[in-house]
Amino acid sequence: MGRAILLLGVAVICALSLVTSRHQARQTTAAIERERQTAIVLNDQYERMLLEQSTASTGKRIDKLARDKLNMRLPTLDQIRVIEYRASPKPQ
């Protein structure tokens, strides 16, 4: 009788241990999936930010090249001329 109670106790302990380990495995799997989703969102944000950065830097890069390599500058007010366009009448 004592042996049977001992074996029953060992079986109960093993069953509880199995249930606990499976529960922890499910929690770990759920946590991994949440982290994967977070990684996907962060990667998408990173890609968008890289695109925004390249778009923003393109104008600055062109401006720098125009100034440095082509020696271009913005005109001063006295260098700006406004020309009005008047269409000539079409011959009939």
Coordinates of all heavy atoms in Angstrom, one line a residue:
M1 N 0.8 -1.2 0.0 CA 0.0 0.0 0.0 C 0.9 1.3 0.0 O 0.6 2.2 -0.7 CB -0.9 -0.1 1.2 CG -1.7 1.2 1.5 SD -3.2 1.0 0.5 CE -4.1 2.4 1.1
G2 N 1.9 1.3 0.8 CA 2.8 2.4 0.8 C 3.5 2.7 -0.5 O 3.7 3.8 -0.9
R3 N 3.8 1.6 -1.2 CA 4.4 1.8 -2.5 C 3.4 2.4 -3.5 O 3.8 3.2 -4.3 CB 4.8 0.4 -3.0 CG 6.2 0.2 -3.1 CD 6.5 -1.2 -3.7 NE 7.9 -1.3 -4.0 CZ 8.5 -2.3 -4.5 NH1 7.8 -3.3 -4.8 NH2 9.7 -2.2 -4.8
A4 N 2.2 2.0 -3.4 CA 1.2 2.5 -4.4 C 1.0 4.0 -4.1 O 0.9 4.8 -5.1 CB -0.1 1.7 -4.2
I5 N 1.0 4.4 -2.9 CA 0.8 5.8 -2.6 C 2.0 6.6 -3.1 O 1.9 7.7 -3.6 CB 0.6 6.0 -1.1 CG1 -0.8 5.4 -0.7 CG2 0.6 7.5 -0.7 CD1 -1.1 5.5 0.8
L6 N 3.2 6.0 -2.9 CA 4.4 6.7 -3.3 C 4.4 6.8 -4.9 O 4.7 7.9 -5.4 CB 5.6 5.9 -2.9 CG 7.0 6.4 -3.3 CD1 7.3 7.8 -2.7 CD2 8.1 5.5 -3.0
L7 N 4.0 5.8 -5.6 CA 3.9 5.8 -7.0 C 2.9 6.8 -7.5 O 3.1 7.5 -8.5 CB 3.7 4.4 -7.6 CG 4.8 3.4 -7.6 CD1 4.4 2.1 -8.1 CD2 6.0 3.9 -8.4
L8 N 1.7 6.9 -6.8 CA 0.7 7.8 -7.1 C 1.2 9.2 -6.9 O 1.0 10.1 -7.7 CB -0.5 7.6 -6.3 CG -1.7 8.5 -6.5 CD1 -2.2 8.4 -7.9 CD2 -2.8 8.3 -5.5
G9 N 1.9 9.5 -5.8 CA 2.5 10.8 -5.6 C 3.5 11.2 -6.6 O 3.5 12.3 -7.1
V10 N 4.3 10.3 -7.1 CA 5.3 10.5 -8.1 C 4.6 10.8 -9.4 O 5.0 11.8 -10.2 CB 6.3 9.4 -8.3 CG1 7.2 9.5 -9.5 CG2 7.2 9.2 -7.0
A11 N 3.5 10.1 -9.7 CA 2.8 10.3 -11.0 C 2.1 11.7 -10.9 O 2.1 12.4 -12.0 CB 1.7 9.2 -11.1
V12 N 1.5 12.1 -9.8 CA 0.9 13.4 -9.7 C 1.9 14.5 -9.9 O 1.7 15.5 -10.6 CB 0.2 13.5 -8.4 CG1 -0.3 15.0 -8.1 CG2 -1.0 12.6 -8.3
I13 N 3.1 14.3 -9.3 CA 4.2 15.3 -9.4 C 4.6 15.4 -10.8 O 4.8 16.5 -11.4 CB 5.3 15.0 -8.4 CG1 4.9 15.2 -7.0 CG2 6.6 15.8 -8.8 CD1 5.9 14.8 -6.0
C14 N 4.8 14.3 -11.5 CA 5.2 14.3 -12.9 C 4.1 14.9 -13.8 O 4.5 15.7 -14.7 CB 5.4 12.8 -13.4 SG 7.0 12.1 -12.8
A15 N 2.9 14.7 -13.5 CA 1.8 15.3 -14.3 C 1.8 16.8 -14.1 O 1.6 17.5 -15.1 CB 0.4 14.7 -13.9
L16 N 1.9 17.2 -12.9 CA 1.9 18.7 -12.6 C 3.1 19.3 -13.3 O 3.0 20.4 -13.8 CB 1.9 19.0 -11.1 CG 0.6 18.7 -10.4 CD1 0.8 18.9 -8.9 CD2 -0.5 19.6 -10.9
S17 N 4.3 18.7 -13.3 CA 5.5 19.2 -13.9 C 5.2 19.3 -15.4 O 5.6 20.3 -16.0 CB 6.6 18.3 -13.6 OG 7.8 18.7 -14.3
L18 N 4.6 18.3 -16.0 CA 4.3 18.3 -17.4 C 3.4 19.4 -17.8 O 3.6 20.2 -18.8 CB 3.7 17.0 -17.9 CG 3.3 16.8 -19.3 CD1 4.6 16.9 -20.2 CD2 2.6 15.6 -19.6
V19 N 2.3 19.6 -17.0 CA 1.4 20.7 -17.3 C 2.1 22.1 -17.2 O 1.9 23.0 -18.0 CB 0.2 20.6 -16.3 CG1 -0.7 21.9 -16.4 CG2 -0.7 19.4 -16.6
T20 N 2.9 22.2 -16.1 CA 3.6 23.5 -15.9 C 4.6 23.8 -17.1 O 4.6 24.9 -17.6 CB 4.4 23.5 -14.6 OG1 3.5 23.2 -13.5 CG2 5.1 24.8 -14.4
S21 N 5.3 22.8 -17.5 CA 6.3 23.0 -18.6 C 5.5 23.3 -19.9 O 6.0 24.2 -20.7 CB 7.2 21.8 -18.8 OG 6.5 20.7 -19.2
R22 N 4.4 22.6 -20.2 CA 3.7 23.0 -21.4 C 3.1 24.4 -21.4 O 3.1 25.1 -22.4 CB 2.5 21.9 -21.6 CG 3.1 20.6 -22.1 CD 1.9 19.7 -22.5 NE 2.5 18.5 -23.1 CZ 1.7 17.5 -23.4 NH1 0.4 17.5 -23.3 NH2 2.2 16.4 -23.9
H23 N 2.6 24.8 -20.2 CA 2.1 26.1 -20.0 C 3.2 27.2 -20.3 O 3.0 28.2 -21.0 CB 1.5 26.3 -18.6 CG 1.0 27.7 -18.4 ND1 -0.1 28.2 -19.0 CD2 1.4 28.7 -17.6 CE1 -0.4 29.4 -18.6 NE2 0.6 29.7 -17.7
Q24 N 4.3 26.9 -19.7 CA 5.5 27.8 -20.0 C 5.9 27.9 -21.4 O 6.2 28.9 -22.0 CB 6.7 27.4 -19.1 CG 6.5 27.7 -17.6 CD 7.6 27.2 -16.8 OE1 8.4 26.4 -17.2 NE2 7.7 27.7 -15.5
A25 N 5.8 26.7 -22.1 CA 6.2 26.6 -23.5 C 5.2 27.5 -24.3 O 5.6 28.2 -25.3 CB 6.2 25.2 -24.0
R26 N 3.9 27.4 -24.0 CA 2.9 28.2 -24.7 C 3.1 29.7 -24.5 O 3.0 30.5 -25.4 CB 1.5 27.7 -24.3 CG 1.1 26.4 -24.9 CD -0.4 26.1 -24.5 NE -0.7 24.8 -25.0 CZ -1.0 23.7 -24.1 NH1 -1.0 24.0 -22.8 NH2 -1.3 22.6 -24.6
Q27 N 3.4 30.0 -23.2 CA 3.6 31.4 -23.0 C 4.9 31.9 -23.7 O 4.8 33.0 -24.2 CB 3.8 31.6 -21.4 CG 2.5 31.6 -20.7 CD 2.8 31.8 -19.2 OE1 3.8 31.5 -18.6 NE2 1.8 32.4 -18.5
T28 N 5.9 31.1 -23.7 CA 7.1 31.5 -24.5 C 6.8 31.7 -26.0 O 7.3 32.6 -26.6 CB 8.2 30.5 -24.2 OG1 8.4 30.4 -22.8 CG2 9.5 30.9 -24.9
T29 N 6.1 30.7 -26.5 CA 5.7 30.8 -27.9 C 4.9 32.0 -28.2 O 5.2 32.7 -29.2 CB 4.9 29.5 -28.4 OG1 5.7 28.4 -28.1 CG2 4.6 29.6 -29.8
A30 N 4.0 32.4 -27.4 CA 3.2 33.6 -27.6 C 4.0 34.8 -27.5 O 3.9 35.8 -28.3 CB 2.0 33.6 -26.5
A31 N 5.0 34.8 -26.5 CA 5.9 36.0 -26.4 C 6.8 36.1 -27.6 O 7.0 37.3 -28.1 CB 6.7 35.9 -25.1
I32 N 7.3 35.0 -28.1 CA 8.1 35.1 -29.3 C 7.3 35.6 -30.5 O 7.8 36.5 -31.3 CB 8.6 33.7 -29.7 CG1 9.7 33.3 -28.7 CG2 9.2 33.6 -31.1 CD1 10.2 31.9 -28.8
E33 N 6.0 35.2 -30.6 CA 5.2 35.7 -31.7 C 4.9 37.2 -31.6 O 5.0 38.0 -32.6 CB 3.9 34.9 -31.8 CG 3.1 35.2 -33.0 CD 3.8 35.0 -34.3 OE1 4.6 34.0 -34.4 OE2 3.5 35.7 -35.3
R34 N 4.7 37.7 -30.4 CA 4.5 39.1 -30.2 C 5.8 39.9 -30.6 O 5.7 40.9 -31.2 CB 4.2 39.4 -28.7 CG 2.7 39.1 -28.4 CD 2.4 39.7 -27.0 NE 3.2 39.2 -25.9 CZ 3.0 38.0 -25.2 NH1 1.9 37.3 -25.5 NH2 3.8 37.7 -24.2
E35 N 6.9 39.4 -30.2 CA 8.2 40.0 -30.5 C 8.4 40.0 -32.0 O 9.0 41.0 -32.6 CB 9.4 39.4 -29.8 CG 9.3 39.5 -28.3 CD 9.3 41.0 -27.9 OE1 10.0 41.8 -28.5 OE2 8.6 41.3 -26.9
R36 N 8.0 39.0 -32.7 CA 8.2 38.9 -34.2 C 7.3 40.0 -34.8 O 7.7 40.7 -35.8 CB 7.8 37.5 -34.7 CG 8.8 36.5 -34.5 CD 8.4 35.2 -35.2 NE 9.5 34.2 -35.0 CZ 9.3 32.9 -34.9 NH1 8.1 32.4 -35.1 NH2 10.3 32.1 -34.7
Q37 N 6.1 40.1 -34.3 CA 5.2 41.2 -34.8 C 5.8 42.6 -34.6 O 5.7 43.4 -35.5 CB 3.8 41.1 -34.2 CG 3.0 39.8 -34.6 CD 2.8 39.7 -36.1 OE1 2.5 40.7 -36.8 NE2 3.0 38.5 -36.7
T38 N 6.3 42.8 -33.4 CA 7.0 44.0 -33.1 C 8.1 44.3 -34.0 O 8.3 45.4 -34.5 CB 7.4 44.1 -31.6 OG1 6.3 43.9 -30.8 CG2 8.1 45.4 -31.3
A39 N 8.9 43.2 -34.3 CA 10.1 43.4 -35.2 C 9.6 43.8 -36.6 O 10.3 44.6 -37.3 CB 10.9 42.1 -35.2
I40 N 8.5 43.2 -37.1 CA 8.0 43.5 -38.4 C 7.6 45.0 -38.5 O 7.9 45.7 -39.4 CB 6.8 42.6 -38.8 CG1 7.3 41.1 -39.0 CG2 6.0 43.1 -40.0 CD1 6.2 40.1 -39.1
V41 N 6.9 45.4 -37.4 CA 6.4 46.8 -37.4 C 7.6 47.8 -37.4 O 7.7 48.8 -38.1 CB 5.5 47.1 -36.2 CG1 5.3 48.6 -36.0 CG2 4.2 46.3 -36.3
L42 N 8.6 47.4 -36.5 CA 9.8 48.3 -36.4 C 10.6 48.3 -37.7 O 11.1 49.3 -38.2 CB 10.7 47.8 -35.3 CG 10.1 48.1 -33.9 CD1 11.0 47.4 -32.8 CD2 10.0 49.6 -33.6
N43 N 10.7 47.2 -38.4 CA 11.4 47.1 -39.7 C 10.6 47.9 -40.7 O 11.3 48.6 -41.5 CB 11.5 45.6 -40.2 CG 12.4 45.5 -41.3 OD1 13.5 46.1 -41.3 ND2 12.0 44.7 -42.3
D44 N 9.3 47.9 -40.8 CA 8.6 48.7 -41.7 C 8.8 50.2 -41.4 O 9.0 51.0 -42.3 CB 7.1 48.4 -41.6 CG 6.7 47.1 -42.2 OD1 7.5 46.5 -42.9 OD2 5.5 46.6 -41.9
Q45 N 8.8 50.6 -40.1 CA 9.1 52.0 -39.8 C 10.5 52.4 -40.2 O 10.7 53.5 -40.7 CB 8.9 52.2 -38.3 CG 7.5 52.2 -37.8 CD 7.4 52.3 -36.3 OE1 8.4 52.3 -35.6 NE2 6.2 52.4 -35.8
Y46 N 11.4 51.5 -40.0 CA 12.8 51.8 -40.4 C 12.9 52.0 -41.9 O 13.6 52.9 -42.4 CB 13.7 50.6 -39.9 CG 15.2 50.8 -40.3 CD1 16.0 51.7 -39.7 CD2 15.7 50.0 -41.3 CE1 17.3 51.8 -40.0 CE2 17.1 50.1 -41.7 CZ 17.8 51.0 -41.0 OH 19.2 51.2 -41.4
E47 N 12.3 51.1 -42.7 CA 12.3 51.3 -44.1 C 11.7 52.6 -44.6 O 12.2 53.3 -45.4 CB 11.5 50.1 -44.8 CG 12.1 48.7 -44.6 CD 13.3 48.5 -45.4 OE1 13.4 49.1 -46.5 OE2 14.2 47.7 -45.0
R48 N 10.6 53.0 -43.9 CA 9.9 54.3 -44.3 C 10.9 55.4 -43.9 O 11.0 56.4 -44.7 CB 8.6 54.4 -43.5 CG 7.5 53.9 -44.3 CD 6.1 54.2 -43.7 NE 5.5 52.9 -43.2 CZ 5.3 52.6 -42.0 NH1 5.5 53.4 -41.0 NH2 4.8 51.4 -41.7
M49 N 11.5 55.3 -42.8 CA 12.4 56.4 -42.4 C 13.6 56.5 -43.3 O 14.1 57.6 -43.6 CB 12.9 56.2 -40.9 CG 11.8 56.4 -39.9 SD 12.3 56.0 -38.3 CE 12.5 57.7 -37.7
L50 N 14.2 55.4 -43.8 CA 15.3 55.4 -44.7 C 14.8 56.1 -46.0 O 15.6 56.9 -46.6 CB 15.7 54.0 -45.0 CG 16.6 53.3 -44.0 CD1 17.0 51.9 -44.4 CD2 17.9 54.1 -43.7
L51 N 13.6 55.8 -46.5 CA 13.1 56.4 -47.7 C 12.9 57.9 -47.5 O 13.3 58.7 -48.3 CB 11.7 55.8 -48.0 CG 11.1 56.3 -49.3 CD1 12.0 56.1 -50.5 CD2 9.7 55.6 -49.5
E52 N 12.4 58.3 -46.3 CA 12.2 59.7 -46.0 C 13.6 60.4 -46.0 O 13.7 61.5 -46.5 CB 11.5 59.9 -44.7 CG 10.0 59.6 -44.8 CD 9.4 59.8 -43.4 OE1 9.9 60.5 -42.5 OE2 8.3 59.2 -43.2
Q53 N 14.5 59.8 -45.4 CA 15.9 60.4 -45.3 C 16.5 60.5 -46.7 O 17.1 61.6 -47.0 CB 16.8 59.5 -44.4 CG 18.2 60.0 -44.2 CD 19.1 59.1 -43.5 OE1 18.8 57.9 -43.4 NE2 20.1 59.6 -42.9
S54 N 16.4 59.5 -47.5 CA 16.9 59.6 -48.8 C 16.2 60.7 -49.7 O 16.8 61.4 -50.4 CB 16.9 58.3 -49.6 OG 15.6 57.9 -49.9
T55 N 14.9 60.8 -49.5 CA 14.1 61.8 -50.2 C 14.5 63.2 -49.7 O 14.7 64.1 -50.6 CB 12.6 61.6 -50.0 OG1 12.3 60.3 -50.4 CG2 11.8 62.6 -50.8
A56 N 14.7 63.4 -48.4 CA 15.0 64.7 -47.9 C 16.5 65.1 -48.3 O 16.8 66.3 -48.5 CB 14.9 64.7 -46.4
S57 N 17.4 64.1 -48.3 CA 18.8 64.5 -48.6 C 19.0 64.7 -50.0 O 20.0 65.3 -50.4 CB 19.7 63.4 -48.0 OG 19.5 62.2 -48.7
T58 N 18.1 64.3 -50.9 CA 18.4 64.4 -52.4 C 18.4 65.9 -52.7 O 19.3 66.3 -53.5 CB 17.3 63.7 -53.2 OG1 17.3 62.3 -52.8 CG2 17.5 63.9 -54.6
G59 N 17.5 66.7 -52.3 CA 17.5 68.1 -52.6 C 18.7 68.8 -52.0 O 19.4 69.6 -52.7
K60 N 19.1 68.4 -50.8 CA 20.3 69.0 -50.2 C 21.6 68.6 -51.0 O 22.5 69.5 -51.2 CB 20.5 68.6 -48.7 CG 19.4 69.1 -47.8 CD 19.6 68.5 -46.4 CE 18.4 68.9 -45.5 NZ 18.5 68.3 -44.2
R61 N 21.6 67.4 -51.4 CA 22.8 66.9 -52.2 C 22.9 67.7 -53.5 O 24.0 68.1 -53.9 CB 22.6 65.4 -52.4 CG 23.8 64.8 -53.2 CD 23.7 63.3 -53.3 NE 24.8 62.8 -54.0 CZ 24.7 62.6 -55.3 NH1 23.7 62.9 -56.0 NH2 25.8 62.1 -56.0
I62 N 21.8 67.8 -54.2 CA 21.8 68.6 -55.5 C 22.2 70.0 -55.2 O 23.0 70.6 -56.0 CB 20.4 68.5 -56.1 CG1 20.1 67.1 -56.6 CG2 20.3 69.5 -57.3 CD1 18.7 66.8 -57.1
D63 N 21.7 70.6 -54.2 CA 22.0 72.0 -53.9 C 23.5 72.1 -53.6 O 24.2 73.0 -54.1 CB 21.2 72.5 -52.7 CG 21.5 74.0 -52.4 OD1 21.3 74.8 -53.3 OD2 21.9 74.3 -51.2
K64 N 24.1 71.2 -52.8 CA 25.5 71.2 -52.5 C 26.4 71.0 -53.8 O 27.4 71.7 -54.0 CB 25.8 70.1 -51.5 CG 27.3 70.1 -51.0 CD 27.5 69.2 -49.9 CE 28.9 69.0 -49.4 NZ 29.9 70.0 -49.7
L65 N 26.0 70.1 -54.6 CA 26.7 69.8 -55.9 C 26.7 71.1 -56.8 O 27.7 71.5 -57.4 CB 26.2 68.6 -56.6 CG 26.5 67.3 -56.0 CD1 25.7 66.2 -56.8 CD2 28.0 67.0 -56.1
A66 N 25.5 71.7 -56.9 CA 25.4 72.9 -57.7 C 26.3 74.0 -57.2 O 26.9 74.7 -57.9 CB 23.9 73.3 -57.7
R67 N 26.3 74.2 -55.9 CA 27.1 75.2 -55.3 C 28.6 74.9 -55.4 O 29.4 75.8 -55.8 CB 26.8 75.4 -53.8 CG 25.4 76.1 -53.6 CD 25.1 76.2 -52.1 NE 23.8 76.7 -51.9 CZ 23.4 78.0 -51.9 NH1 24.3 78.9 -52.1 NH2 22.2 78.3 -51.7
D68 N 29.0 73.7 -55.1 CA 30.4 73.3 -55.0 C 31.0 73.1 -56.4 O 32.1 73.6 -56.7 CB 30.6 72.1 -54.1 CG 30.3 72.4 -52.7 OD1 30.1 73.5 -52.3 OD2 30.1 71.4 -51.9
K69 N 30.4 72.2 -57.2 CA 31.0 71.8 -58.5 C 30.7 72.8 -59.6 O 31.6 73.0 -60.5 CB 30.5 70.4 -58.8 CG 31.0 69.4 -57.9 CD 31.2 68.1 -58.5 CE 31.7 67.1 -57.4 NZ 32.5 66.1 -58.0
L70 N 29.5 73.4 -59.6 CA 29.1 74.3 -60.7 C 29.2 75.7 -60.3 O 29.0 76.6 -61.1 CB 27.7 73.9 -61.2 CG 27.5 72.5 -61.6 CD1 26.0 72.3 -62.0 CD2 28.3 72.2 -62.9
N71 N 29.6 76.0 -59.1 CA 29.8 77.3 -58.6 C 28.5 78.2 -58.7 O 28.6 79.3 -59.1 CB 31.0 78.0 -59.2 CG 31.5 79.2 -58.3 OD1 31.3 79.2 -57.1 ND2 32.1 80.1 -59.0
M72 N 27.3 77.5 -58.6 CA 26.1 78.2 -58.7 C 25.7 78.9 -57.4 O 25.9 78.3 -56.3 CB 25.0 77.3 -59.2 CG 25.2 76.7 -60.5 SD 24.0 75.4 -61.0 CE 22.7 76.5 -61.5
R73 N 25.0 80.0 -57.5 CA 24.6 80.8 -56.3 C 23.2 81.3 -56.6 O 22.8 81.5 -57.8 CB 25.5 82.0 -56.0 CG 26.9 81.6 -55.7 CD 27.1 81.0 -54.3 NE 28.5 80.7 -54.1 CZ 29.0 79.5 -54.1 NH1 28.2 78.5 -54.4 NH2 30.2 79.2 -53.9
L74 N 22.4 81.6 -55.6 CA 21.1 82.2 -55.7 C 21.4 83.6 -56.2 O 22.3 84.3 -55.8 CB 20.3 82.2 -54.4 CG 19.8 80.9 -54.0 CD1 19.2 81.1 -52.6 CD2 18.8 80.4 -54.9
P75 N 20.5 84.1 -57.2 CA 20.7 85.5 -57.6 C 20.3 86.5 -56.6 O 19.4 86.3 -55.8 CB 19.8 85.6 -58.9 CG 18.7 84.5 -58.6 CD 19.4 83.5 -57.8
T76 N 21.0 87.6 -56.6 CA 20.6 88.7 -55.7 C 19.3 89.4 -56.3 O 19.0 89.2 -57.5 CB 21.7 89.7 -55.5 OG1 22.0 90.3 -56.8 CG2 22.9 89.1 -54.9
L77 N 18.7 90.3 -55.5 CA 17.5 91.0 -56.0 C 17.8 91.8 -57.3 O 16.9 91.9 -58.2 CB 16.9 91.8 -54.9 CG 16.2 91.0 -53.8 CD1 15.7 92.0 -52.7 CD2 15.1 90.2 -54.3
D78 N 18.9 92.5 -57.3 CA 19.2 93.3 -58.5 C 19.6 92.5 -59.7 O 19.6 93.0 -60.8 CB 20.3 94.3 -58.2 CG 21.6 93.6 -57.8 OD1 21.6 92.6 -57.1 OD2 22.7 94.2 -58.1
Q79 N 19.8 91.2 -59.6 CA 20.1 90.3 -60.7 C 18.8 89.7 -61.3 O 18.8 89.1 -62.3 CB 21.0 89.2 -60.3 CG 22.4 89.7 -60.0 CD 23.3 88.5 -59.4 OE1 22.8 87.7 -58.7 NE2 24.6 88.6 -59.8
I80 N 17.7 89.8 -60.6 CA 16.4 89.2 -61.0 C 15.7 90.2 -61.9 O 15.6 91.4 -61.6 CB 15.6 88.8 -59.8 CG1 16.3 87.8 -58.9 CG2 14.2 88.3 -60.3 CD1 15.6 87.5 -57.7
R81 N 15.3 89.7 -63.1 CA 14.5 90.5 -64.0 C 13.2 89.8 -64.3 O 13.1 88.6 -64.5 CB 15.3 90.6 -65.4 CG 16.6 91.2 -65.3 CD 16.5 92.8 -65.1 NE 17.8 93.4 -65.0 CZ 18.4 93.8 -63.9 NH1 17.8 93.6 -62.8 NH2 19.6 94.3 -64.0
V82 N 12.1 90.6 -64.3 CA 10.8 90.0 -64.6 C 10.5 90.4 -66.0 O 10.5 91.6 -66.4 CB 9.7 90.6 -63.6 CG1 8.3 90.1 -64.0 CG2 10.1 90.2 -62.2
I83 N 10.1 89.5 -66.8 CA 9.8 89.7 -68.2 C 8.4 89.3 -68.5 O 8.0 88.2 -68.1 CB 10.7 88.9 -69.1 CG1 12.2 89.3 -68.9 CG2 10.4 89.1 -70.6 CD1 13.2 88.4 -69.6
E84 N 7.6 90.2 -69.0 CA 6.2 89.9 -69.3 C 6.1 89.4 -70.7 O 6.8 89.8 -71.6 CB 5.4 91.2 -69.2 CG 5.2 91.7 -67.8 CD 4.3 92.9 -67.7 OE1 3.3 92.9 -68.5 OE2 4.5 93.7 -66.8
Y85 N 5.3 88.4 -70.9 CA 5.1 87.8 -72.2 C 3.8 88.2 -72.8 O 2.8 88.1 -72.1 CB 5.1 86.3 -72.1 CG 4.8 85.5 -73.3 CD1 5.7 85.5 -74.4 CD2 3.6 84.9 -73.5 CE1 5.4 84.8 -75.5 CE2 3.2 84.3 -74.6 CZ 4.1 84.2 -75.7 OH 3.8 83.6 -76.8
R86 N 3.9 88.7 -74.0 CA 2.6 89.1 -74.6 C 2.6 88.3 -75.9 O 3.5 88.4 -76.8 CB 2.6 90.6 -75.0 CG 2.5 91.5 -73.7 CD 2.4 92.9 -74.1 NE 2.5 93.7 -72.9 CZ 3.0 94.9 -72.9 NH1 3.3 95.5 -74.0 NH2 3.1 95.6 -71.8
A87 N 1.5 87.6 -76.1 CA 1.4 86.8 -77.3 C 1.0 87.7 -78.4 O 0.2 88.5 -78.3 CB 0.3 85.7 -77.1
S88 N 1.7 87.5 -79.5 CA 1.4 88.3 -80.7 C 0.1 87.7 -81.4 O -0.1 86.5 -81.3 CB 2.5 88.3 -81.7 OG 2.9 87.0 -82.1
P89 N -0.7 88.6 -82.0 CA -1.9 88.0 -82.6 C -1.5 87.1 -83.8 O -0.6 87.3 -84.5 CB -2.6 89.3 -83.1 CG -1.7 90.4 -83.0 CD -0.5 90.0 -82.1
K90 N -2.3 86.1 -83.9 CA -2.1 85.1 -85.0 C -2.6 85.7 -86.3 O -3.6 86.3 -86.4 CB -2.8 83.8 -84.7 CG -2.3 83.1 -83.5 CD -3.0 81.7 -83.4 CE -2.5 81.0 -82.1 NZ -3.2 79.8 -81.9
P91 N -1.8 85.5 -87.4 CA -2.2 85.9 -88.7 C -3.4 85.1 -89.2 O -3.4 83.9 -89.0 CB -1.0 85.8 -89.6 CG 0.0 85.0 -88.8 CD -0.4 85.0 -87.4
Q92 N -4.3 85.8 -89.9 CA -5.5 85.0 -90.4 C -5.4 84.7 -91.8 O -4.9 85.2 -92.7 CB -6.7 85.8 -90.1 CG -6.9 85.9 -88.6 CD -8.2 86.7 -88.3 OE1 -8.8 87.2 -89.2 NE2 -8.6 86.7 -87.1

